[in-house]
Amino acid sequence: GGRIWNGNRLAQLGTRVSAEKLSLTTTGVLLETEKQYWQILTLREKMKTLDRYDSLLRNLEKDADVAYKAGLIHYNDVLKVTLKEGELAMNRVKLENGIQMATRALCRQIGIGYDSTVILADSLVMPSDPAGLHTDHAAAVSQRTEYRLLSESVRAEQLKYRMKLGEYLPEAGVGVGGFTFNMADEWNSNLMAFGSLTIPLSGWWEASHTLKEQRLKEQIAVNEAGDAESMLLLDMENAWCRVTEGWKQVKIAELSVAQAEQNLKITHDNYRAGINGISDLLEAQAVLQNAMDTLAESRYGYCVAQADYRRATGNYR
C-alpha cells in the first residue's frame, strides 16, 4: 500500500524537522549573545560618562577649595562636592563589577575563557535610521523557522494518513532467487521467481474510523499552521513597533543630552559670575550624567530591538 515509499518520505521529513529545530535553537543562542554584547557596550558607555563627570567634579573641587580659602563660600559647599565624589566612587565600583560580570557572561556564552581585555568592535555612538530595515511581513512569514516547522507538521500528518491507509490496501511482494550446486563434478544452476498478494478482507469498519481520526489530526495541523501564521505576522508587527519606538527614544534622549549640556554651560557661566551656587552646578552636572546614561540605555534598547526584528522576519544571521 505504499507504506515503504511513504515511510521513507516521512523519515526524510523528520531529518528536515531536526535541522529546522537546530536552526531555531542557533538563532536563539545568537540573539542572546548579541544582547549580552550590546549590554557590555552600554556599560562601557556609562563608564565614559562617569569619567567625564569625575573630571568635572575634580575641577569643581579645586575651584571650591580656592573659593573657600578666599572666604567666598562656606565649608558646607566643599562638603557637597566631596559627598558627590564619594557617591561617584561607589557608582564606579558597581559599574566596574557590572562590566566584569557581563564580560564573563559573554565569554561563557561564546565558549571562550574569560579575558578582561577583550575588545568589542562596535560602539553605541551612531545608531542607524531603521527605514532600511523594514521588510514585507507577508512575504517574510515563509522565512520563519517556526512557519516551516508547522508546514512540515502538516506534511507529516498527510504522510501518516497515507501510511495508515496503506495498512488496509492489498500488499504485493515479488522476488527472485537462484542457487548453484556441484554434483559429480558437474555444476548446476537454477533460478526461480516468486510473488505474493495479500488482500485484507476484515477490519474495514475499524479502518474507516481510524482513517477519519487521522484526517482530523491533519486538519488540526492545518488549523494550527494558519493560526501560527497570524501570530507570526503579529510578532513581526510588534517587533517593528519596538524598533520605531526605540529609534524615537534615541532621538529624544539625544535632544535631552544636548539640552542638559546647554544647561550645564549656562549654570557654569552663572557660577563663575556668582549668580549660581555650587549646589546648582552639581545639580546641572547630575542632570547631564542622567541624560547621558538614559541615552546609552536607549541606544542599547534600539540595538536589541533591531536584532529582534531581524529574528522576527527570519533574516537573523
Side-chain angles (χ1 to χ4, degrees):
R3 281 179 288 167
I4 295 176
W5 169 254
N6 289 318
N8 288 334
R9 297 171 70 187
L10 191 61
Q12 293 170 0
L13 186 146
T15 301
R16 293 197 301 272
V17 167
S18 296
E20 293 289 0
K21 288 182 178 179
L22 176 60
S23 175
L24 188 63
T25 302
T26 301
T27 298
V29 172
L30 290 175
L31 182 60
E32 179 61 28
T33 303
E34 185 167 353
K35 288 180 180 179
Q36 294 181 10
Y37 178 86
W38 291 120
Q39 180 65 43
I40 296 175
L41 287 172
T42 302
L43 294 174
R44 290 186 175 181
E45 198 69 26
K46 288 185 176 182
M47 183 63 77
K48 293 178 183 178
T49 303
L50 208 63
D51 291 338
R52 177 179 177 181
Y53 190 31
D54 184 42
S55 177
L56 292 172
L57 280 179
R58 290 183 184 277
N59 292 331
L60 183 58
E61 182 185 24
K62 294 177 183 178
D63 293 342
D65 286 338
V66 172
Y68 171 70
K69 292 176 181 178
L72 300 176
I73 62 174
H74 298 289
Y75 185 65
N76 185 48
D77 291 326
V78 178
L79 287 177
K80 289 178 181 178
V81 178
T82 304
L83 287 172
K84 280 293 182 182
E85 287 181 330
E87 180 182 332
L88 184 145
M90 288 189 293
N91 290 337
R92 181 182 294 278
V93 171
K94 292 179 181 178
L95 198 52
E96 288 174 347
N97 289 337
I99 292 174
Q100 183 188 71
M101 295 305 297
T103 304
R104 286 183 180 276
L106 178 62
C107 290
R108 179 179 178 275
Q109 180 76 4
I110 62 179
I112 65 173
Y114 170 67
D115 183 1
S116 61
T117 62
V118 64
I119 299 175
L120 306 185
D122 297 287
S123 69
L124 291 171
V125 178
M126 293 294 292
S128 57
D129 189 293
L133 187 64
H134 190 268
T135 187
D136 184 359
H137 293 170
V141 170
S142 60
Q143 301 299 318
R144 286 288 295 268
T145 303
E146 297 90 336
Y147 179 84
R148 293 196 296 270
L149 281 172
L150 287 167
S151 298
E152 296 289 19
S153 177
V154 173
R155 184 59 179 159
E157 293 300 333
Q158 292 173 343
L159 290 174
K160 288 178 182 178
Y161 174 83
R162 295 182 182 181
M163 291 281 289
K164 186 61 65 175
L165 177 63
E167 295 179 7
Y168 303 103
L169 293 177
E171 182 177 317
V174 294
V176 63
F179 61 92
T180 300
F181 63 93
N182 184 300
M183 181 178 291
D185 294 328
E186 182 179 349
W187 289 95
N188 295 277
S189 299
N190 285 296
L191 294 174
M192 63 180 178
F194 57 89
S196 66
L197 178 64
T198 303
I199 302 176
L201 299 177
S202 61
W204 280 103
W205 182 85
E206 175 188 354
S208 63
H209 292 281
T210 302
L211 294 174
K212 183 179 180 181
E213 179 184 0
Q214 189 59 46
R215 277 300 190 192
L216 289 174
K217 290 180 179 179
E218 181 182 334
Q219 187 59 48
I220 290 173
V222 171
N223 293 340
E224 289 178 347
D227 292 341
E229 183 175 358
S230 300
M231 294 301 296
L232 291 176
L233 285 170
L234 181 61
D235 184 33
M236 293 180 193
E237 291 295 336
N238 288 336
W240 178 246
C241 287
R242 288 192 292 270
V243 170
T244 55
E245 179 183 345
W247 175 249
K248 292 176 182 178
Q249 289 178 348
V250 168
K251 304 310 290 183
I252 293 172
E254 288 176 345
L255 179 60
S256 297
V257 168
Q259 292 173 340
E261 287 177 337
Q262 183 65 20
N263 176 61
L264 177 59
K265 182 180 182 302
I266 294 172
T267 304
H268 188 269
D269 292 341
N270 290 340
Y271 169 74
R272 290 292 186 184
I275 299 175
N276 291 129
I278 286 181
S279 297
D280 298 321
L281 189 55
L282 288 174
E283 182 180 355
Q285 290 176 347
V287 168
L288 177 58
Q289 182 189 11
N290 290 334
M292 294 184 72
D293 284 347
T294 300
L295 177 58
E297 289 288 347
S298 299
R299 286 173 172 171
Y300 165 74
Y302 178 62
C303 291
V304 171
Q306 283 186 313
D308 188 57
Y309 181 70
R310 295 197 306 273
R311 184 273 314 165
T313 54
N315 293 320
Y316 195 87
R317 298 292 186 271

